[in-house]
Amino acid sequence: MFRRREINALVRSAQDAGSLRRVLKPLDLVMLGIGGIIGTGIFVLSGVAAGLHAGNALPLSFIIAGVVCLFAALCYAEFSTMIPVAGSAYTYCYTALGEIWAWIIGWDLILEYGLAVSAVAIGWSGYCAALLRSAGILLPAPFTHPFGVEGGIVNLPAVLIVLALTLLLVQGTKRSAGTNAVIVSIKLAVILLFIVLSIGFVDPGNWVPFMPPAGWFGVFSGAAIVFFAFIGFDAVVTAAEEIENPQKNLPIGLIGSLVVCIVLYIVIGVILTGVVPFARLAGPDAINAPIAFALNSVGITWGAAVLSVGAICGMTSVMLVMLFGQSRIFFAMARDGLLPSFFSELNPVTHTPSKVILFIGAVTGCIAGFFPLETVAELVNMGTLVAFAIVAFGVLLLRARQPELSRPFRCPYVPVLPLVCIGACAFLILHLGSLAHLMFLIWLCIGLAVYFLYGIRNSVNRKTSECRPNGSVRFTSGAAVTAGGPERVVRPVTGADPGK
Ligand code: ALA
């Protein structure tokens, strides 16, 4: 349960035959990050955060959430350059904390990415229906709502968009990255359009008073909500095995995409609250589309329509990145034997884990089609904050346990920065609802049951490793620790570790 993977062997095994192709460049990564970040959070939740919690201090909420994410990104950067293999926080925990912790974090990330895809698909469907309605095309209610909601049977557009993106991802990573770059360019363009069109309508009188009625509590509650708007940058590291020169390019992708989004969000927050008195953002007309509402309110209706198209594009790329990230976590967990080997088989033509992508697409598509997920954003935030805190803890632990390891990127101000990151994540978790806490615990219990019934028995570590006195585990580099097919053999090391 507490065995750890040995880093050099882990990297070697990922480089062996059967692994993914390194095709992603720095710009692809920044685009991948932005693709995962800008979506429902800014286009929908910014209105909720300003109207109901943070008021004119919305930019402060963005700064707080953004800084927490930046600290987490620096911790991710240290880990991901040290261990540039698929699996993200899951793999880092395997090396720093041990198998059971890796399982918990992997299970947590499956929840985060899966529900994020479903939630964004539902939002996407709502935006699409509204845009078509404004063009005079009415979609039938039974096929735009889940069963039991407003006469609905299935939210068909949500299912179809998830399936379409699933098929795109199966085609191959480079093609997906290319499509993502086009979509991200469109959404950046509409955000810049919003800034240019609305900046002339800012009334500084709207910014008074600056602090919300609930004071700092409102600002922090707003930060706990808009945190959702930053989720997604961590998906960059799930592509670690498909990145050229990951030691150099991963930090660029992680930190670059996050900084671009922090700056854009602060500017949008300032302009939004300057154009519309914040209390109006909580109104029924604004709550689902606050940014388009701001343009409509100053009479630029064509701009609002263009922005809606951009928002739809934005949500599309978020789903693409999240689906991508989830498939790579599954892939890594299955490669380690903690999930059935079926999930780690690569398609020989496209070099993608196509079976797992199709499986995930089907499950998240069903959730999007049949469930009204009101508390999903909170649950997604919960899962992500837990993941960030564990990664920061892992950085501290590995610095103490293995200070001699080569770290191409070093997180600055250790141990202060990771400790602040852990504290800030815990603080934001406390600002989330109790339902999210409860649902998270239930998901965790299900995960532990799966681990003890399947993972612990089939773990590659357990079957093929030799435990060192300190509990870490070595593999020979002669075979890939990939899918569990009969041709893929992993031999325990009996002599010196050649990677040392
Ligand atoms: N950050 C992503 C969004 O806002 C999850 O949609």
Short mmCIF file of all heavy atoms in Angstrom, two decimals, residues 36-37 39-42 120 228-231 318 322, ligand 1:
data_model
loop_
_atom_site.label_atom_id
_atom_site.label_comp_id
_atom_site.label_asym_id
_atom_site.label_seq_id
_atom_site.Cartn_x
_atom_site.Cartn_y
_atom_site.Cartn_z
N GLY A 36 -7.90 24.77 -21.48
CA GLY A 36 -8.53 24.15 -20.31
C GLY A 36 -9.02 25.16 -19.30
O GLY A 36 -9.89 24.87 -18.50
N ILE A 37 -8.44 26.37 -19.33
CA ILE A 37 -8.74 27.34 -18.27
C ILE A 37 -9.98 28.19 -18.59
O ILE A 37 -10.93 28.25 -17.81
CB ILE A 37 -7.52 28.25 -18.01
CG1 ILE A 37 -6.34 27.41 -17.48
CG2 ILE A 37 -7.88 29.33 -17.02
CD1 ILE A 37 -5.03 28.18 -17.38
N GLY A 39 -13.34 29.26 -19.71
CA GLY A 39 -14.60 28.61 -20.10
C GLY A 39 -15.74 29.06 -19.22
O GLY A 39 -15.94 30.26 -19.00
N THR A 40 -16.44 28.09 -18.66
CA THR A 40 -17.62 28.37 -17.85
C THR A 40 -17.32 29.33 -16.70
O THR A 40 -18.15 30.16 -16.34
CB THR A 40 -18.15 27.04 -17.26
OG1 THR A 40 -18.18 26.10 -18.31
CG2 THR A 40 -19.52 27.18 -16.68
N GLY A 41 -16.15 29.20 -16.12
CA GLY A 41 -15.80 30.02 -14.96
C GLY A 41 -15.92 31.50 -15.26
O GLY A 41 -16.60 32.24 -14.53
N ILE A 42 -15.30 31.96 -16.33
CA ILE A 42 -15.34 33.39 -16.63
C ILE A 42 -16.65 33.76 -17.32
O ILE A 42 -17.25 34.80 -17.02
CB ILE A 42 -14.10 33.84 -17.46
CG1 ILE A 42 -14.05 35.36 -17.58
CG2 ILE A 42 -14.07 33.21 -18.83
CD1 ILE A 42 -13.75 36.08 -16.32
N VAL A 120 -19.51 21.31 -17.97
CA VAL A 120 -19.28 22.28 -19.05
C VAL A 120 -20.15 21.92 -20.26
O VAL A 120 -20.66 22.80 -20.96
CB VAL A 120 -17.78 22.37 -19.40
CG1 VAL A 120 -17.54 23.33 -20.55
CG2 VAL A 120 -16.98 22.82 -18.20
N PHE A 228 -12.93 27.89 -9.95
CA PHE A 228 -13.30 27.02 -11.07
C PHE A 228 -12.76 27.58 -12.39
O PHE A 228 -12.39 26.82 -13.30
CB PHE A 228 -14.83 26.90 -11.14
CG PHE A 228 -15.34 25.90 -12.15
CD1 PHE A 228 -15.45 24.56 -11.82
CD2 PHE A 228 -15.69 26.29 -13.44
CE1 PHE A 228 -15.92 23.63 -12.75
CE2 PHE A 228 -16.14 25.37 -14.36
CZ PHE A 228 -16.26 24.04 -14.02
N ALA A 229 -12.72 28.92 -12.48
CA ALA A 229 -12.29 29.56 -13.73
C ALA A 229 -10.82 29.29 -14.05
O ALA A 229 -10.40 29.46 -15.18
CB ALA A 229 -12.54 31.06 -13.65
N PHE A 230 -10.03 28.89 -13.04
CA PHE A 230 -8.60 28.64 -13.27
C PHE A 230 -8.27 27.17 -13.46
O PHE A 230 -7.17 26.83 -13.89
CB PHE A 230 -7.77 29.19 -12.11
CG PHE A 230 -7.76 30.68 -12.03
CD1 PHE A 230 -8.54 31.34 -11.09
CD2 PHE A 230 -7.00 31.45 -12.89
CE1 PHE A 230 -8.55 32.72 -11.03
CE2 PHE A 230 -6.99 32.82 -12.83
CZ PHE A 230 -7.78 33.47 -11.89
N ILE A 231 -9.22 26.32 -13.08
CA ILE A 231 -8.95 24.88 -13.21
C ILE A 231 -8.68 24.55 -14.67
O ILE A 231 -9.35 25.09 -15.55
CB ILE A 231 -10.17 24.08 -12.69
CG1 ILE A 231 -10.30 24.27 -11.20
CG2 ILE A 231 -10.03 22.61 -13.03
CD1 ILE A 231 -11.56 23.65 -10.64
N VAL A 318 -12.44 23.67 -23.30
CA VAL A 318 -12.30 23.18 -21.92
C VAL A 318 -12.62 21.68 -21.88
O VAL A 318 -11.88 20.89 -21.29
CB VAL A 318 -13.23 23.95 -20.96
CG1 VAL A 318 -13.25 23.28 -19.58
CG2 VAL A 318 -12.76 25.39 -20.80
N MET A 322 -10.09 18.69 -20.79
CA MET A 322 -10.44 17.85 -19.63
C MET A 322 -10.56 16.37 -20.03
O MET A 322 -10.13 15.48 -19.30
CB MET A 322 -11.76 18.31 -19.02
CG MET A 322 -11.68 19.67 -18.39
SD MET A 322 -10.72 19.61 -16.87
CE MET A 322 -10.68 21.31 -16.42
N1 ALA B 1 -11.63 26.52 -15.96
C1 ALA B 1 -12.63 25.82 -16.65
C2 ALA B 1 -13.83 26.64 -16.90
O1 ALA B 1 -13.89 27.74 -16.40
C3 ALA B 1 -13.00 24.56 -15.94
O2 ALA B 1 -14.72 26.20 -17.59
#
